């Protein structure tokens, strides 16, 4: 006999067993569908709000997105908020600061501060014997058009300034030295790394 015929014959011989098997199959199917339903519910929920919206972890109280309730005022009636900075990233001139904000003495939430309208500052050190005009001319050729486009309004400003270097590069003079300070919109890129490290003919 074929498998379907054998199953039919066995059910005729023992109807209660067939009913029991059918009931077990229905129960298994129902349990399977219930499990799938739970899995789909979890997938639909995704990350919990306390991860992506800054909800209070212990009480579930939502932290207002504009944080008005956490603003403080100083003696000059200026508003501020304490932000514990942990990390930062920059893309196309927009800076994202990542950190924590204190809700209570024992409770913090994650926060991100977005900083717009940033400006890049380059301090260009002239080589011995090179004039500021030489440095300005060469840095212009470096920045345009590879960093700053040649379109109308896309430009930079530059002027000689005196600065003291305080970092760990031994090739940079420690005493107060004259640099060419260059400023431009941070939405434009930076010169290639080798140019920043090795310089050019005049800087």
């Amino acid at each position: 006999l074929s498998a379907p015929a054998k199953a039919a014959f066995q059910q005729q011989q023992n109807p209660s067993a067939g009913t029991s098997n059918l009931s077990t199959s229905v129960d298994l199917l129902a349990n399977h569908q219930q499990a799938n339903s739970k899995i789909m519910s979890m997938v639909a929920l995704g990350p919990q709000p306390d991860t992506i919206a800054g909800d209070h972890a212990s009480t579930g109280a939502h932290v207002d997105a504009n944080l008005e309730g956490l603003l403080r005022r100083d003696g000059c009636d200026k508003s501020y908020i304490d932000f514990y900075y942990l990390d930062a990233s920059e893309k196309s001139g927009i800076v994202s600061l990542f950190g924590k904000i204190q809700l209570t003495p024992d409770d913090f939430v994650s926060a991100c501060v977005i900083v717009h309208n940033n400006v890049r500052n380059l301090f260009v050190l002239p080589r011995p014997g090179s004039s500021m005009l030489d440095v300005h001319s060469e840095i212009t050729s470096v920045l345009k058009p590879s960093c700053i486009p040649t379109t109308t309004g896309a430009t930079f400003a530059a002027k000689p300034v005196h600065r003291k270097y305080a970092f760990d590069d031994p090739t940079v003079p420690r005493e107060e030295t004259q640099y060419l300070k260059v400023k431009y919109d941070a939405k434009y890129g930076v010169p290639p790394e080798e140019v920043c490290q090795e310089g050019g003919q005049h800087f």
Side-chain angles (χ1 to χ4, degrees):
L1 292 175
S2 63
K6 185 181 295 185
F9 176 77
Q10 290 175 348
Q11 185 173 356
Q12 289 176 358
Q13 297 297 320
N14 191 358
S16 60
T19 304
S20 176
N21 291 338
L22 179 61
S23 175
T24 302
S25 299
V26 172
D27 290 341
L28 289 174
L29 179 60
N31 291 337
H32 180 68
Q33 290 176 339
Q34 186 178 8
N36 282 342
S37 176
K38 290 182 178 179
I39 292 173
M40 291 304 295
S41 297
M42 293 173 65
V43 172
L45 284 174
Q48 297 303 305
D50 61 345
T51 301
I52 62 176
D55 283 0
H56 192 293
S58 57
T59 66
H62 181 69
V63 179
D64 193 352
N66 59 22
L67 300 174
E68 288 289 343
L70 300 177
L71 286 176
R72 302 179 182 180
R73 296 187 179 277
D74 59 13
C76 299
D77 203 33
K78 291 183 178 180
S79 299
Y80 72 96
I81 188 168
D82 288 330
F83 177 78
Y84 297 87
Y85 162 77
L86 298 175
D87 201 359
S89 68
E90 182 266 334
K91 183 177 181 181
S92 301
I94 299 175
V95 176
S96 300
L97 303 176
F98 305 98
K100 297 278 188 178
I101 291 176
Q102 188 174 20
L103 299 181
T104 69
D106 299 320
D107 199 6
F108 294 80
V109 292
S110 297
C112 177
V113 177
I114 307 297
V115 185
H116 297 270
N117 304 318
N118 294 290
V119 176
R120 296 196 192 278
N121 288 270
L122 307 180
F123 292 90
V124 187
L125 177 64
R127 292 188 183 277
S130 295
S131 67
M132 283 296 172
L133 288 177
D134 294 332
V135 175
H136 187 281
S137 178
E138 187 173 7
I139 199 65
T140 300
S141 65
V142 169
L143 294 176
K144 288 194 168 186
S146 61
C147 299
I148 304 174
T150 55
T151 56
T152 303
T155 185
F156 68 91
K159 67 176 183 178
V161 297
H162 287 84
R163 294 288 187 272
K164 289 184 177 181
Y165 181 75
F167 300 101
D168 57 356
D169 188 345
T171 64
V172 179
R174 293 281 174 171
E175 65 274 9
E176 185 174 294
T177 307
Q178 190 176 45
Y179 294 83
L180 181 68
K181 180 180 179 180
V182 179
K183 293 176 57 178
Y184 61 94
D185 196 316
K187 68 182 179 182
Y188 304 126
V190 297
E193 184 177 354
E194 60 271 16
V195 174
C196 294
Q197 292 181 349
E198 304 298 332
Q201 180 180 356
H202 296 291
F203 64 89

